[in-house]
Amino acid sequence: MMKKNMALLLQYDGSRYDGWQRQGNTANTIQGKLEDVLERMTGRYQEVHGSGRTDAGVHAMGQVANVHLETEMGDGEIRDYLNRYLPEDILVLKAKEVPQRFHSRLQAREKTYTYWVETGQRCPVFQRKYITVLGECLDAAAMEEAASCLKGTHDFTSFCTAQGKKKSPVRTIKEIRIVPHGSQLEFVFLGDGFLYNMVRILAGTLIEVGQGKRTPGSVAGTMEARNRQEAGYTAPAKGLFLARVSYDPEIF
Amino acid sequence: MMKKNMALLLQYDGSRYDGWQRQGNTANTIQGKLEDVLERMTGRYQEVHGSGRTDAGVHAMGQVANVHLETEMGDGEIRDYLNRYLPEDILVLKAKEVPQRFHSRLQAREKTYTYWVETGQRCPVFQRKYITVLGECLDAAAMEEAASCLKGTHDFTSFCTAQGKKKSPVRTIKEIRIVPHGSQLEFVFLGDGFLYNMVRILAGTLIEVGQGKRTPGSVAGTMEARNRQEAGYTAPAKGLFLARVSYDPEIF
C-alpha cells in the first residue's frame, strides 16, 4: 500500500510536556504522544516531523507536522482517531493528505510566534500557565523603537542559545508588533524562521528595554556583537505560543 | 483591637477544588484555602462568608466574600498577603474594608453567571477546563424563545436540586442572553439569586431546547410542574462561571 503523507495542524498546551521533540525513551513530548497514537493506529512506528521544536512549556495554537502513514483511513478519520486517543491538552485541528514531497520543517516559509506578558502585579487565574507576570509597566515607545532595529535580515547570534550544530545564524524578521490588551501585552514575531530560544531572547530583550534596563539604541550594537551575553534574558517558556506556520502554497 | 470587616473580590479556577464550602476537616475548598491563609495571617480562625457556594468544578471571575479580621494591615497589604500564600488558581483581585454590617451573601442584590458551550466536535485545548463540548449546533431562535419564558419572577422548583432546607423557591431572573463567540456560545444569566444547581439546570434545559429535544413552548409547563424531573439535565460544572455579584451601594 502506498504511504500517504499526512499534514497535521496541531494545538497544544505545553505546560506538562518536555517540549516537542521525542527524547530517547521518554514519550512525555508532543512528538512522542503523536507517534504513540499513530503507531497504535497503523501498527508501526513512523516519525512525525514538526515544523520546528517547541521547548518544554511552550504552547502552540497552530503547529504543523507531517508523517508518512500506511493507512486507508481518510483525513477526517485520522484526525478523529488521533483526537480520541491523544490527551486533552493536544488537539489535531486538521489532518490533510499532502503531496509526497511536502516536509513541514524544510518547506516552512514563515512562522508567527506570540509572547504574552502581564504588566500588572498579579497573575490572572485563567491564563496562569500562558503568561509571564512582570508587575511593572513597560515603555511602549522604547520597545517599538528597539523592535524596529530587530526587524530585517540579520545575524541573530546574540539572540540565540548556542547549539553544537553549524547552522546559519542569519534570519529575517518581517514584523514585530506589540499589541496591548488591557494590562497585558502580546508581542507578535513574524519571520522566516527562528533560532534556538530566539523568540524568548528577543522578548526578554524587548522587556528589558521596556523596563529601562537597556536603551532602544543599544539593540543594534547587541546585534553586531554576535554574543549571547550582550542580549537580554530568556523570557519564560510559558508565555510563548507558536501561532502559525505558513507554506507556499498554503496547506491549511 | 476592633475587628475590620473585609470584603474580598475573588477569581478562581474551580477545577481542582471540592467547591466553595469548607467541609469538615477537608480544606480542599476555596473557603478552606482562604481561611487557612487568614488564620496564618492573624493567628486565629475566622469564617469567610461567600456570596454563595459554588459547586465542585465551578469557576469564579468575581466571587465576593467577607470576613471579620483583627488586624492592623491595610487593604492592599491583606490582598497581597493572601495572594502570596494562596495557590495560583485562587486570586484576590481586591480587598476592601467595608461597614461592619456588610454581609456578602445576605446583601447580594444581583448575581451574574455565565455558562460556556462549544458547539464544535472538539474541545479547545486552552479552554478545556472551562467549557462544555456539545459537538452539535444549537437552534438559537428556539433557545431565545425558551429563555424569554424563563425570565421574570417564578417558582423555580423544577430547575433546582432539592435540598433539605425550606427556602423559598421563588427567584427573579432579570436577563438571559445567549452570546455567540465563533463556534462557542456564552449563556449569561442575571438574577436576584439562584437556587442549588439552578444555573446548570437552566443551561441544560436551554441546551436541550437548542438540540430540539424539547420545544421552547414546553418550558412554561416545566416551570408550572414544580418537579425537577420535568426539566433538562444538569449541565457540567466546568462550563460555569460566577461572573459578578452586585450590591447596593456597589462595593467593588
Side-chain angles (χ1 to χ4, degrees), chain A residues 2-9 64-69 75 94-104 107 247 249-252:
Chain A
M2 181 72 177
K3 281 189 184 170
K4 292 178 175 180
N5 189 12
M6 294 298 304
L8 306 172
L9 179 63
V64 176
N66 75 293
V67 57
H68 293 266
L69 296 177
D75 294 357
K94 294 180 185 173
K96 189 177 179 184
E97 190 177 355
V98 288
Q100 287 292 332
R101 67 185 181 283
F102 174 80
H103 189 290
S104 60
Q107 281 156 34
Y247 297 89
E250 289 298 351
I251 50 165
F252 290 115

Side-chain angles (χ1 to χ4, degrees), chain A residues 223-234:
Chain A
M223 187 83 78
E224 279 165 31
R226 298 185 196 179
N227 176 0
R228 168 70 187 93
Q229 299 305 109
E230 297 287 317
Y233 81 126
T234 305

Side-chain angles (χ1 to χ4, degrees), chain A residues 11-13 59-61 79-80 83 88-93 122-126 128-130 241, chain B residues 11-13 59-61 79-80 83 88-93 122-126 128-130 241:
Chain A
Q11 200 175 79
Y12 50 80
D13 178 338
H59 318 291
M61 293 297 295
R79 180 200 61 209
D80 292 348
N83 286 329
E88 64 173 9
D89 49 10
I90 304 176
L91 179 67
V92 180
L93 292 167
R122 290 174 288 283
C123 186
V125 162
F126 300 102
R128 66 192 182 279
K129 293 176 178 170
Y130 315 122
F241 288 78
Chain B
Q11 201 176 77
Y12 49 81
D13 178 338
H59 319 291
M61 293 298 295
R79 179 199 62 210
D80 292 348
N83 286 328
E88 63 173 10
D89 48 9
I90 304 176
L91 180 66
V92 181
L93 292 167
R122 290 175 286 283
C123 185
V125 162
F126 300 102
R128 65 191 183 279
K129 294 177 179 170
Y130 314 122
F241 288 78

